[in-house]
């Protein structure tokens, strides 16, 4: 009954908003007549999108879609994907913590993925010129030579590519046309240097080329300080001499990219595009600070015996991180035979996060007849990345890790677009991709303790090991969409998709010598060797029969195989040239797999697919002679088997580290979205977006939250163990005015204000008064940006002065809460106030 009441309230809220928009449209004719008399009236730019793989006006597409043009991207001082996403309602894209290297977290309408590991699927599909990008690593794309970005909200997959439950983000590049080019240079805060250039030229009558490049360099804003130098009385050995204790800065930028496009278009029927790109991102680790630290385990102390504590908190924009852990002698605090006096080897890493990637693709559009078109998209991409992680940002030795991933991916997609009749269109297609990612890691984890005892008295065992795990992923899909117009005003869209997903993950857990198997992680493998599988000898000796087959973790391949049918059904109706409404129901899913980071054999556990059924109502309007655009949408999602990554899981294998994906339970996600563009007079423009999201668990798997029981439980005592997911309000507002200076050109001031909602720091709810509650949550924040642009009368030269984070707001992009295990809470600090001057020339 309560759920039905909430649903009814949601429907009433959406209906009220829709009614208001309809009422406003009734006055459109009057205002339009007045607008026609105003010679300086300015209509909103018409945006053509290809979200349904036909050229359609944005306002004719029955999807909740945000289309951001290159002009608006530039006006908002956006430089990467995360900047663009701030303008889209219900979208949260943020750089990931340093523990996840060069990657992002991505959710749309509360669905997506926070963990970059290749064992998990993103949930938000990302496409560059129709080519699917399968990983969160390297996904905060630079906006190099982009024509527009389309953000599609809600399940996608019946038209293209992979099955994406949350939505999809599509980058559309500028095509070579044989004309034009541009170059720009930027200088700004902390020696920021940006250079961009594009050349577009004709090789022959039907052959065109376009080359684009970008260079970005900037100093960091979080100081890394040598603790022994800064606090000599501590006795911690210093690694530098003299009085300058600053080692380097985090939060810097070091990005280079190059893209070339070759287009062959001999006639209106054939268009072939070959694209190649290369990118290199080399920068220091993500700008993080220690917010809380405590630890009594003697194995985690500094080389001179200091424990992790809040004394190692440096300040709002500095830390004492190190690039390794010291050698030492590990001592067990409990009487465990054979575990006394084990040596701890020293480990060392790198201060930089490195990423290098390249890709090639071929897009072929061929019109077989006037009513039949075939499209082929073939792509290959590869990248390598490496980074090191100091888990406490201090000279203490709680945990340290080196990580290196090597990845290749290729995909093939075919689509056939057919016009079966004047009122009937069909798209059918197929998709196939294969990828292999090898994840090498060296981990040095020293904080493991016996539960219930003081850490100083109960160190249990050290975890120094090497993993080198290949992850093989294969995806197949077949899809079809039928678009039928029974009347001029009504359109019915029906789509279906079949998906097959396969993933194989092979574990290797060696000691630091790279040859012998680590007995703490893989006792069976240490005794019987890699790949062993056989009867439990202990059980046979005890009971006289064999009831269980045991196997080593090292050499074990865990597999996931899944298939799924999904659908989309949509009805839209155009009440007038100014107003269209639509209703949509769709399904989507995210494949399952196996926990990729088992710190004991029991954590090598599988998890099932995540499934969603979405219901959506929307209304799109162009009012006041197309000077006011208002789009409203509301959605209601039923989520089954929600996937969450647990950072604490003593219920699975005992004490120690945890990073285990599991199916937490079922949830209801509902929300409201609003977008508006308003050009009241010539030169003046307002744009705004807002969304409200409510994520409510209907039942929770007790085992996931450490309670006994089997079936998904609706008991509030069980549900309350999980933290509230990303929810609440987020919004964006922008305004600009282009003042005409006659022969002197124009001057355009612009302001943007963006509000991001709060996020939990851990999937488990923080106990009242705990460090997690005090320091581990990610508060919401509001950022204001300003820009002033002069453009000459010919509109081929402009000079812009921008200031981002005008009020120098101190905020966090994310937090990494391991206070329940390692005793630390880290936070990634957002960028402070920055200024930049850009000169851009078009040719």
């Amino acid at each position: 009954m309560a759920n039905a009441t909430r649903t009814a309230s949601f429907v009433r809220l959406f209906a009220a908003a829709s009614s208001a928009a309809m009422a406003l449209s009734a006055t459109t004719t009057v205002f339009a007549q007045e607008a026609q008399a105003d010679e300086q009236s300015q209509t909103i730019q018409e945006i053509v999108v290809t979200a349904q793989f036909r050229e359609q006006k944005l306002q004719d597409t029955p999807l909740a879609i945000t289309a951001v043009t290159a002009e608006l991207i530039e006006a908002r001082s956006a430089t990467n994907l995360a900047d663009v996403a701030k303008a889209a309602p219900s979208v949260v894209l943020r750089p990931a913590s340093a523990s996840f290297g060069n990657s992002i977290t991505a959710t749309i309408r509360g669905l997506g993925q926070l963990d970059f590991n290749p064992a998990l699927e993103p949930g938000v599909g990302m496409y560059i010129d129709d080519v699917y990008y399968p990983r969160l690593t390297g996904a905060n794309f630079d906006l190099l030579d982009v024509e527009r970005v389309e953000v599609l909200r809600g399940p996608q997959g019946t038209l293209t590519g992979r099955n994406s439950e949350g939505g999809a983000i599509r980058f559309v590049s500028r095509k070579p046309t044989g004309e034009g080019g541009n170059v720009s240079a930027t200088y700004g805060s902390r020696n920021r240097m940006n250079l961009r250039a594009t050349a577009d030229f004709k090789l022959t009558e039907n052959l065109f080329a376009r080359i684009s490049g970008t260079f970005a360099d900037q100093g960091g804003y979080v100081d890394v300080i040598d603790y022994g130098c800064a606090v000599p009385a501590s006795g911690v050995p210093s690694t530098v001499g003299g009085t300058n204790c600053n080692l380097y800065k985090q939060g810097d930028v070091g990005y280079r990219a190059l893209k070339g496009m070759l287009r062959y278009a001999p006639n209106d029927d054939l268009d072939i595009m070959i694209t190649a790109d290369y990118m290199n991102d080399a920068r220091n680790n993500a700008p993080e600070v220690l917010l809380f630290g405590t630890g009594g385990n003697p194995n985690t102390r500094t080389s001179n015996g200091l424990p992790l504590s809040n004394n190692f908190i440096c300040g709002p924009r500095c830390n004492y991180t190190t690039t390794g852990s010291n050698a030492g002698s590990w001592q067990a605090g409990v009487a465990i035979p054979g575990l006394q006096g084990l040596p701890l080897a020293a480990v060392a890493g790198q201060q930089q996060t490195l990423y290098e990637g390249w890709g090639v693709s071929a897009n072929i559009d061929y019109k077989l007849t006037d009513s039949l078109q075939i499209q082929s998209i073939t792509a290959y991409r590869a990248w390598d990345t490496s980074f090191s992680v100091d888990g406490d940002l201090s000279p203490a030795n709680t945990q340290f890790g080196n990580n290196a991933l090597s990845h290749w991916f290729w995909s093939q997609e075919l689509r056939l677009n057919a016009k079966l009749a004047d009122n009937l269109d069909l798209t059918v297609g197929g998709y196939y991709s294969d990828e292999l990612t090898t994840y090498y890691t060296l981990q040095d984890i020293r904080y493991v303790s016996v539960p219930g005892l003081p850490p100083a008295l109960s160190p249990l065992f050290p975890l120094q090991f090497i993993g080198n795990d290949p992850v093989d992923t294969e995806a197949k899909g077949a899809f079809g969409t039928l678009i039928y117009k029974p009347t001029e005003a009504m359109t019915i869209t029906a789509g279906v998709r079949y998906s097959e997903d396969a993933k194989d993950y092979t574990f290797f857990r060696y000691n630091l010598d790279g040859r012998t198997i680590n007995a703490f992680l893989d006792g069976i493998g240490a005794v019987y060797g890699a790949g062993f599988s056989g009867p439990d000898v202990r059980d046979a000796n005890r009971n006289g029969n064999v009831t269980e087959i045991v196997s080593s973790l090292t050499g074990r391949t865990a597999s996931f195989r899944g298939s799924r049918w999904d659908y989309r059904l949509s009805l839209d109706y155009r009440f007038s040239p100014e107003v269209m409404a639509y209703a949509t129901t769709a399904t989507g899913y995210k494949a399952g797999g196996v926990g990729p980071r088992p710190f004991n054999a029991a954590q090598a556990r599988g998890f099932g697919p995540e499934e969603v059924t979405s219901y959506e109502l929307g209304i799109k309007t162009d009012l006041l002679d197309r000077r006011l655009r208002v789009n409203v949408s509301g959605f209601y999602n039923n989520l089954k088997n929600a996937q969450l990554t647990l950072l604490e899981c003593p219920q699975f294998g005992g004490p120690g580290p945890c990073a285990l994906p599991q199916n937490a339970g079922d949830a209801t996600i509902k929300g409201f979205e609003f977008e508006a563009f308003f050009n009241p007079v010539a030169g003046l423009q307002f744009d705004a977006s807002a969304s409200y999201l409510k994520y409510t668990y209907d039942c929770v798997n007790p085992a996931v939250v450490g309670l006994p029981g089997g079936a998904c439980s609706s008991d509030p005592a069980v549900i309350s163990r999980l933290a509230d997911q990303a929810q609440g309000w987020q919004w964006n507002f922008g305004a600009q005015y282009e003042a005409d200076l006659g022969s002197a050109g124009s001057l355009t001031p612009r302001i943007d204000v963006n509000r991001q909602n709060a996020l939990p720091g851990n999937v488990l709810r923080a106990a009242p008064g705990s460090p997690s509650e005090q320091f581990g949550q990610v508060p919401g924040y509001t950022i204001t940006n300003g820009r002033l642009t002069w453009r000459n009368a010919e509109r081929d030269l402009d000079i812009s002065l921008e200031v981002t984070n005008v009020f120098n707001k101190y905020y966090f992009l994310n937090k990494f809460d391991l206070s329940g295990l390692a005793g630390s809470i880290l936070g990634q600090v957002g960028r402070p106030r920055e200024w930049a001057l850009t000169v851009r020339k078009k040719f």
Side-chain angles (χ1 to χ4, degrees):
M1 179 64 69
N3 190 55
T5 302
R6 289 195 300 266
T7 303
S9 300
F10 166 76
V11 172
R12 286 196 296 270
L13 175 63
F14 177 78
S18 301
S19 298
M22 293 286 288
L24 185 58
S25 72
T27 64
T28 299
T29 303
V30 175
F31 282 102
Q33 292 172 351
E34 296 176 357
Q36 290 170 0
D38 183 2
E39 294 181 353
Q40 291 188 335
S41 67
Q42 186 179 40
T43 60
I44 295 172
Q45 176 187 359
E46 191 67 76
I47 300 176
V48 175
V49 299
T50 53
Q52 297 193 120
F53 299 97
R54 292 165 175 78
E55 290 191 349
Q56 292 177 292
K57 295 179 181 178
L58 175 67
Q59 295 303 90
D60 290 339
T61 307
L63 292 169
I65 176 173
T66 299
V68 187
T69 64
E71 292 75 19
L72 193 52
I73 288 172
E74 181 182 351
R76 289 172 173 166
S77 303
T79 61
N80 53 47
L81 174 58
D83 290 338
V84 171
K86 294 174 183 177
S90 300
V91 180
V92 179
L93 266 65
R94 301 187 186 186
S97 72
S99 297
F100 292 166
N102 185 343
S103 66
I104 63 171
T105 63
T107 62
I108 297 179
R109 293 181 172 177
L111 300 172
Q113 188 59 44
L114 308 180
D115 190 338
F116 79 105
N117 196 287
L120 293 87
E121 295 305 310
V124 172
M126 298 187 188
Y127 297 85
I128 303 177
D129 296 328
D130 293 345
V131 174
Y132 179 69
Y133 191 93
R135 297 291 138 220
L136 296 177
T137 296
N140 194 15
F141 307 122
D142 184 88
L143 303 175
L144 175 62
D145 206 23
V146 65
E147 178 181 295
R148 69 181 181 276
V149 177
E150 300 175 3
V151 182
L152 288 65
R153 304 186 294 278
Q156 307 296 322
T158 62
L159 278 164
T160 183
R162 291 290 289 274
N163 196 328
S164 304
E165 60 170 3
I169 300 173
R170 302 181 65 244
F171 279 72
V172 181
S173 299
R174 296 183 186 273
K175 291 184 177 181
T177 60
E179 298 179 359
N182 62 79
V183 61
S184 69
T186 300
Y187 181 79
S189 299
R190 301 188 309 281
N191 292 321
R192 173 181 171 183
M193 290 288 296
N194 292 81
L195 298 174
R196 290 175 178 266
T198 297
D200 193 329
F201 46 92
K202 181 185 293 187
L203 298 175
T204 68
E205 184 63 27
N206 302 313
L207 188 64
F208 311 94
R210 189 177 182 95
I211 300 176
S212 304
T214 182
F215 169 92
D217 214 69
Q218 186 179 21
Y221 56 91
V222 168
D223 292 314
V224 175
I225 299 174
D226 183 284
Y227 184 78
C229 173
V231 190
S234 67
V236 174
S238 174
T239 61
V240 297
T243 58
N244 184 6
C245 302
N246 287 26
L247 302 175
Y248 56 93
K249 292 179 181 289
Q250 296 174 336
D252 56 321
V253 176
Y255 185 86
R256 294 94 172 94
L258 184 67
K259 181 167 71 174
M261 306 177 74
L262 191 65
R263 182 186 181 195
Y264 178 61
N267 50 55
D268 293 338
D269 296 334
L270 179 63
D271 196 323
I272 301 175
M273 183 88 70
I274 307 296
T275 304
D277 66 85
Y278 170 81
M279 64 185 73
N280 185 292
D281 192 339
R283 52 184 169 81
N284 294 323
N285 283 350
E288 295 186 333
V289 297
L290 179 64
L291 301 173
F292 174 80
T294 182
N297 191 318
N299 299 314
T300 67
R301 295 174 181 172
T302 65
S303 58
N304 67 323
L306 297 181
L308 175 66
S309 72
N310 288 336
N311 291 331
F312 293 139
I313 295 177
C314 178
R317 289 194 173 96
C318 64
N319 63 56
Y320 298 119
T321 189
T322 59
T323 55
S325 291
N326 302 313
S329 177
W330 179 86
Q331 294 291 328
V334 292
I336 303 177
L339 297 187
Q340 302 295 325
L342 295 178
L344 289 172
V347 296
Q350 62 193 53
Q351 73 183 50
Q352 282 196 315
T353 294
L354 305 175
Y355 175 91
E356 184 176 32
W358 63 276
V360 293
S361 63
N363 294 52
I364 302 174
D365 289 356
Y366 181 53
K367 187 184 293 184
L368 301 173
T369 68
D370 289 341
S371 58
L372 200 61
Q373 178 192 30
I374 189 168
Q375 296 173 290
S376 171
I377 304 106
T378 308
Y380 179 87
R381 175 161 294 278
W383 51 254
D384 295 281
T385 186
S386 62
F387 56 97
S388 298
V389 179
D390 178 12
D392 49 60
L393 300 180
S394 81
N397 298 307
T398 61
Q399 58 176 328
F400 185 84
N402 292 328
N403 304 271
L405 292 87
S406 179
H407 168 93
W408 63 258
F409 168 87
W410 83 269
S411 64
Q412 173 63 54
E413 182 172 350
L414 289 173
R415 292 195 297 263
L416 183 68
N417 296 321
K419 191 166 190 63
L420 304 180
D422 289 341
N423 62 347
L424 188 62
D425 293 322
L426 174 69
T427 294
V428 293
Y431 171 88
Y432 176 81
S433 67
D434 189 21
E435 65 176 302
L436 177 67
T437 306
T438 301
Y439 188 175
Y440 168 88
T441 184
L442 184 155
Q443 293 293 320
D444 182 3
I445 301 173
R446 307 185 181 187
Y447 59 73
V448 185
S449 300
V450 176
L453 294 178
L457 301 177
S458 61
L460 191 55
F461 52 79
L463 289 177
Q464 289 189 317
F465 66 92
I466 287 175
N468 196 29
D469 302 350
V471 190
D472 192 355
T473 303
E474 184 181 66
K476 302 174 184 177
F479 48 85
T481 291
L482 193 67
I483 301 176
Y484 173 55
K485 291 182 69 68
T487 69
E488 187 64 28
M490 180 184 293
T491 303
I492 300 172
T493 304
V496 66
R497 177 188 182 86
Y498 177 74
S499 303
E500 284 188 4
D501 291 281
K503 190 181 294 286
D504 295 315
Y505 195 109
T506 304
F507 300 97
F508 292 96
R509 295 295 181 265
Y510 293 107
N511 292 311
L512 297 191
D513 59 15
R515 294 179 291 103
T516 59
I517 296 176
N518 187 286
F520 298 107
L521 292 171
D522 186 7
I524 299 296
V527 174
Y528 296 103
F532 173 81
S533 179
D536 187 337
V537 178
R538 293 167 302 174
D539 186 80
N541 290 338
R542 183 171 60 249
N543 299 323
N545 56 8
V546 176
T547 60
E548 184 178 358
I549 300 295
V550 297
S551 62
S552 64
L553 180 59
T554 301
R556 181 194 304 177
T557 298
S559 299
F560 169 82
R561 299 290 185 271
S563 61
R564 162 91 176 184
W565 285 96
D566 285 295
Y567 67 87
R568 175 185 172 219
L569 182 62
S570 178
L571 171 68
D572 64 85
Y573 189 83
R574 182 159 289 283
F575 293 93
S576 69
E578 297 81 16
V579 179
M580 183 193 79
Y582 67 89
T584 298
T585 179
T587 64
Y589 101 126
K590 185 169 62 176
V594 63
R597 303 183 184 95
F599 294 98
N600 58 62
Q603 288 184 11
R605 302 173 59 88
F607 57 92
E610 181 177 275
E611 304 167 350
V612 65
T613 301
S614 175
Y615 307 92
E616 180 179 337
L617 298 174
I619 186 168
K620 296 188 173 186
T621 67
D622 275 325
L623 310 172
L624 307 182
D625 196 26
R626 288 188 53 234
R627 289 185 295 155
L628 174 63
R629 173 171 296 168
V630 178
N631 294 342
V632 181
S633 58
F635 61 90
Y636 186 96
N637 291 345
N638 285 328
L639 179 64
K640 302 295 184 184
N641 301 313
Q643 296 173 4
L644 292 179
T645 298
L646 305 176
L647 299 181
E648 299 178 44
C649 58
Q651 66 273 34
F652 299 123
C658 181
L660 179 62
Q662 288 290 280
N663 295 104
D666 301 340
T668 297
I669 309 172
K670 54 188 177 183
F672 172 84
E673 299 163 343
F674 168 86
E675 291 183 287
F677 296 85
F678 185 34
N679 295 353
V681 296
L684 181 60
Q685 173 184 312
F686 299 96
D687 51 86
S689 68
S691 61
Y692 179 79
L693 186 71
K694 181 66 174 178
Y695 191 122
T696 305
Y697 281 104
D698 301 318
C699 70
V700 167
N701 181 354
V704 169
V705 294
L707 297 175
C712 196
S713 173
S714 299
D715 185 345
V718 178
I719 292 177
S720 64
R721 294 287 187 104
L722 287 179
D724 294 330
Q725 299 301 297
Q727 55 186 314
W729 286 98
Q730 67 179 64
W731 50 266
N732 181 84
F733 173 79
Q736 68 180 53
Y737 179 70
E738 183 174 6
D740 188 353
L741 304 180
S743 60
S746 64
L747 192 64
T748 305
R750 180 178 174 89
I751 187 171
D752 284 281
V753 185
N754 176 262
R755 173 68 182 181
Q756 294 289 296
N757 57 0
L759 298 173
N762 199 323
V763 298
L764 299 178
R765 187 178 299 276
S770 67
S772 292
E773 184 188 54
Q774 298 177 62
F775 308 107
Q777 310 307 303
V778 185
Y781 57 88
T782 303
I783 300 297
T784 301
N785 299 331
R787 187 180 182 96
L788 181 65
T789 301
W790 172 83
R791 186 171 288 113
N792 68 351
E794 292 76 18
R795 305 187 73 82
D796 61 0
L797 174 67
D798 55 72
I799 302 174
S800 300
L801 174 65
E802 67 180 65
V803 180
T804 54
N805 195 0
V806 171
F807 300 108
N808 204 25
K809 173 75 174 178
Y810 184 78
Y811 63 101
F812 291 97
L813 295 169
N814 56 63
K815 292 186 178 180
F816 199 55
D817 182 4
L818 287 179
S819 57
L821 291 172
S824 62
I825 300 176
L826 314 180
Q828 184 174 168
V829 182
R831 306 190 76 82
R833 178 170 52 229
E834 299 176 344
W835 66 269
L837 183 67
T838 300
V839 179
R840 184 167 183 257
K841 172 66 175 175
K842 298 179 182 179
F843 301 100

